[in-house]
Amino acid sequence: MRSTCQHPKGQSLHNTNPLHSAANAEAVLQKADLHEDLKKALRSVKPKLLIDGEFVDAAGGETFPTEDPRTGDVLLDVAEAQEKDVDRAVQAARKAFDHGPWPRMSGRERGRLIYKLADLMEEHLLELATLESLDNGKPLSVAKSSDLPEGIEHLRYYAGWADKIHGLTIPTAGNMQAHTYREPLGVIGQIIPWNFPILMQAWKLGPALAGGNTIVMKVAEQTPLSALRVGELALEAGIPPGVLNIVPGSGSVAGAALASHKGVDKIAFTGSTEVGKIIMKQAAENVVPVTLELGGKSPFVVCPDADLDAAVECAHQALFFNMGQCCTAGSRTFVHESIYDEFVKRAVKRASEKAVGDPFDESTEQGPQVSKEQFEKILSYIEKGQQEGATLEYGGKRIGDKGYYLEPTVFSNVTDDMSIAKDEIFGPVQSILKWSSIGEVLERANATEYGLAAGVFTSNLNWATTLSRGLKAGTIWVNTWNTFDAGVPFGGYKMSGIGREHGEAALSHYTQTKSVYQPLEEPLNWNM
């Protein structure tokens, strides 16, 4: 999930390469136009629920289709968790926590097994990246170079933390000794989104496993495949049964059952702000802690001294990365009035050069949107933008007649009151706004309910510092975008979330502190 603001070369592709249309897994795999590496990747997945170390069907036999966003056709039918299945998973996690070895083994041993999982993911990197691209639509080149390596790095980072979680000895008044333990919370309910499935899984698993917790993870119904394969690799790595349980299913059923379950000790959620509010209410009934990584409408401020080509490229990557389906997307591009017209001209040129096509073509920069629902939502915002008076400079239309491909879209003359400037679109729609003064752009950039990320492009140290200090967001990027490190805290201000991912900060959300007081005996009489 790292953007270097470089311009990947490639030619525009307006034809997709349909995979298949069968709903039955083996029938799908027999299709002649399904490449052998794709068949192999799909065959590696057990499309069931992972509960207590076993891949099992839903209790009622329910399934749902996961689709290929390149065509809209079904890839596999996957077991769909219902409330009773979530309950089974929570009970398995509770048994593993209360009676199993995971929270009782040394931190070094836990770390060794997490390292082993990371090693296995690295061994299966191409397979997992292929599953990610099949299910999500992102370019395989991105999944191989960004999502998988960063997910693996994240697990290794927390594997190193597992034996370094400790308490303190604290001086007290009087004849008393006090010390603390940092202990695991217990059973953790984790709900992850569809935009970075394997990376978000790693972000959640790392600190939870390092801290000695057990997990029930609800994966998005749009993208369950890579997470299930990682679950199998976790068992192969030696992580005990019941420590990691995975329940694919809908948010309204499986997600709600997990968030409201009385046997869960914490909920961690990544997704939209609207759903995050619901999760908080459900978890509040049981008074369990919640961490939320939610939506954003991130401002990217381009200053008048900017290297224009570099700024255009960075703003382009900030918005269009992952087909615009990124919570940190720089979706409000604020450009100083003195360079505005030229910036728009170059932004349009860059968008027109973007290679859109099959994610398995190495030259592709932008694949399809993840689903029909998301595709139609983005189109509706493009229509709103035009209706509300923004200038559609480029794009705005569907590509082809199969799958969920959209033209990269650029709007100019966008004002703060327009829907495309206020709402999280989660698609390849760049909105370019004009600003005049530092005070004005800070006020406008902060005039949002969100505060996940923000960025500045300038060579002026004073402007960079003033804007970085003034922008109300959890992460500020200067002359870059979407740069992450496992050790650097990440999270939002305002309605963009509660708590932090990454670093030691995340461990505080997966451990709890126990204080112990002990009176000291009277000093020994050495003269006896």
Side-chain angles (χ1 to χ4, degrees), residues 16 67-72 133-140 194 322-325 355-360 364-372 374-375 378 399 402-407 428:
T16 64
E67 294 183 346
D68 178 1
R70 303 184 303 166
T71 62
S133 294
L134 274 172
D135 227 7
N136 172 274
K138 69 178 63 201
L140 179 64
W194 47 257
N322 204 49
M323 296 78 75
Q325 298 167 156
V356 182
D358 191 310
F360 293 99
T364 293
E365 294 179 77
Q366 179 180 313
Q369 308 308 132
V370 71
S371 66
K372 182 180 180 181
Q374 188 64 19
F375 174 80
I378 298 163
I399 297 174
K402 288 200 75 173
Y404 309 124
Y405 293 89
L406 281 173
E407 291 178 331

Side-chain angles (χ1 to χ4, degrees), residues 222-244:
Q222 296 89 345
T223 55
L225 300 183
S226 59
L228 289 169
R229 183 68 177 112
V230 169
E232 187 174 14
L233 293 177
L235 294 173
E236 186 179 336
I239 293 175
V243 172
L244 173 58

Side-chain angles (χ1 to χ4, degrees), residues 204-337:
K204 291 287 188 283
L205 290 182
L209 291 175
N213 301 282
T214 59
I215 297 162
V216 178
M217 177 172 283
K218 206 291 284 185
V219 297
E221 59 268 40
Q222 296 89 345
T223 55
L225 300 183
S226 59
L228 289 169
R229 183 68 177 112
V230 169
E232 187 174 14
L233 293 177
L235 294 173
E236 186 179 336
I239 293 175
V243 172
L244 173 58
N245 306 274
I246 300 177
V247 286
S250 70
S252 60
V253 177
L258 183 58
S260 60
H261 201 290
K262 294 184 181 299
V264 170
D265 298 304
K266 171 195 165 57
I267 293 291
F269 171 78
T270 296
S272 71
T273 297
E274 292 73 22
V275 176
K277 293 176 183 179
I278 297 170
I279 295 288
M280 278 195 79
K281 290 176 182 177
Q282 292 167 331
E285 290 297 316
N286 299 318
V287 197
V288 299
V290 174
T291 49
L292 305 171
E293 197 261 278
L294 306 176
K297 194 66 180 174
S298 301
F300 182 43
V301 181
V302 181
C303 295
D305 70 321
D307 176 321
L308 211 50
D309 284 335
V312 165
E313 182 60 31
C314 204
H316 180 90
Q317 296 296 341
L319 186 282
F320 291 101
F321 181 63
N322 204 49
M323 296 78 75
Q325 298 167 156
C326 189
C327 55
T328 57
S331 52
R332 291 184 294 151
T333 307
F334 286 94
V335 179
H336 191 265
E337 60 185 2

